């Protein structure tokens, strides 16, 4: 699984986040989670490479070097688009972890951009969003392996139970459970197919 990413990897990540920061540690954890997950899913190697790179890039919008709009998923997507990454990767960065719902509730000035792009999502894009969100739900802010419930409690503790972001994430809990079920189903099918 090593070497799956073709361009943006750990050395590039260090150009945007210091290794002692939570963003760096979380990103590294999500990359590790993605690599483990991809061993249990039947996808072409080209898509696996793209997904590892996606894991490295998914929080790039939080870097001060790429801020444009102030909404990190969109800033990350704009960065990836400017670097000529695939449509699927750009869109997955833009929409992962409930970004559309966060925009709907908190950033009305960005809603038209999200609505426009929402209708161009493909099955591959949806898969990328599912896999990335799954990995993000299973790593703490410091990159440690945790369960989804612990990850959500981590968010609620960090921001406070009544914070707008916490309330938005709470409204997405069913969506996150569906996401986890879809990914676990893919894993199960792969495991069963490899045993026969």
């Amino acid at each position: 699984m090593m070497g799956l990413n073709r361009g943006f990897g750990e050395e590039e990540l260090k150009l945007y986040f210091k290794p002692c920061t939570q963003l760096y540690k979380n990103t590294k954890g999500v990359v590790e989670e993605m690599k483990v997950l991809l061993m249990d899913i039947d996808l072409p190697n080209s898509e696996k490479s793209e997904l590892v790179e996606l894991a490295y890039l998914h929080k790039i919008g939080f870097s001060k070097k790429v801020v444009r709009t102030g909404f990190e998923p969109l800033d990350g997507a704009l960065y990836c688009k400017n670097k000529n990454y695939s449509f699927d990767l750009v869109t997955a960065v833009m929409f992962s972890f409930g970004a559309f719902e966060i925009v709907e509730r908190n950033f009305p000035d960005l809603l038209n951009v999200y609505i426009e792009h929402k209708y161009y999502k493909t099955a591959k894009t949806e898969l990328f969003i599912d896999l990335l969100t799954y990995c993000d739900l299973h790593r703490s802010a410091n990159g440690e392996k945790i369960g989804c419930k612990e990850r959500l409690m981590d968010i609620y503790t960090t921001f406070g139970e009544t914070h707008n972001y916490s309330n938005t994430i709470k409204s997405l809990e069913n969506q996150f459970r569906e996401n986890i079920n879809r990914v676990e189903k893919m894993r199960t099918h792969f495991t069963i197919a490899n045993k026969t």
Side-chain angles (χ1 to χ4, degrees):
M1 191 62 66
M2 297 303 290
L4 274 183
N5 56 306
R6 59 182 157 71
F8 197 101
E10 188 169 352
E11 291 308 309
E12 291 74 20
L13 185 65
K14 289 176 184 174
L15 300 174
Y16 294 89
F17 302 115
K18 293 180 181 177
C20 61
T21 63
Q22 272 192 338
L23 287 165
Y24 179 88
K25 292 174 183 175
N26 172 263
T27 300
K28 286 278 299 182
V30 171
V31 168
E32 289 169 17
E33 190 71 27
M34 183 68 79
K35 287 179 178 180
V36 169
L37 177 61
L38 291 175
M39 288 191 281
D40 296 338
I41 293 178
D42 186 26
L43 289 172
N45 282 339
S46 60
E47 288 186 17
K48 288 183 176 185
S49 294
E50 205 171 359
L51 283 158
V52 171
E53 201 159 26
L54 170 62
Y56 272 112
L57 287 161
H58 83 286
K59 290 241 168 79
I60 197 72
F62 284 86
S63 171
K64 292 176 183 174
K65 295 181 178 183
V66 303
V67 171
R68 290 177 64 183
T69 69
F71 184 59
E72 294 85 359
L74 180 55
D75 289 341
L78 291 169
Y79 169 87
C80 292
K81 183 178 180 185
N82 289 339
K83 296 290 184 181
N84 296 317
Y85 284 98
S86 74
F87 170 82
D88 297 300
L89 189 144
V90 170
T91 305
V93 169
M94 185 175 178
F95 283 92
S96 69
F97 212 79
F100 180 76
E101 291 77 8
I102 293 167
V103 165
E104 276 187 311
R105 289 178 71 138
N106 305 301
F107 299 96
D109 54 320
L110 300 177
L111 190 54
N112 285 341
V113 174
Y114 269 80
I115 288 172
E116 179 185 338
H117 285 83
K118 186 177 182 181
Y119 295 106
Y120 293 107
K121 288 197 279 186
T122 65
K124 183 178 173 183
T125 304
E126 295 286 0
L127 172 65
F128 277 28
I129 293 167
D130 264 0
L131 295 174
L132 177 60
T133 301
Y134 179 92
C135 292
D136 212 356
L137 284 167
H138 288 87
R139 291 294 172 144
S140 73
N142 288 314
E144 295 107 352
K145 173 81 173 162
I146 58 174
C148 176
K149 285 182 183 176
E150 292 88 352
R151 175 71 168 121
L152 296 176
M153 287 309 301
D154 191 30
I155 291 169
Y156 306 148
T157 302
T158 301
F159 288 91
E161 284 283 337
T162 59
H163 190 277
N164 201 22
Y165 182 66
S166 294
N167 288 332
T168 303
I169 296 300
K170 285 176 189 173
S171 74
L172 294 169
E173 285 188 13
N174 285 338
Q175 183 177 314
F176 289 150
R177 274 192 284 278
E178 290 170 10
N179 164 275
I180 289 169
N181 289 339
R182 284 191 298 270
V183 174
E184 291 295 347
K185 196 172 185 179
M186 288 178 68
R187 275 185 136 155
T188 302
H189 285 300
F190 180 77
T191 303
I192 292 169
N194 281 333
K195 285 184 178 177
T196 56

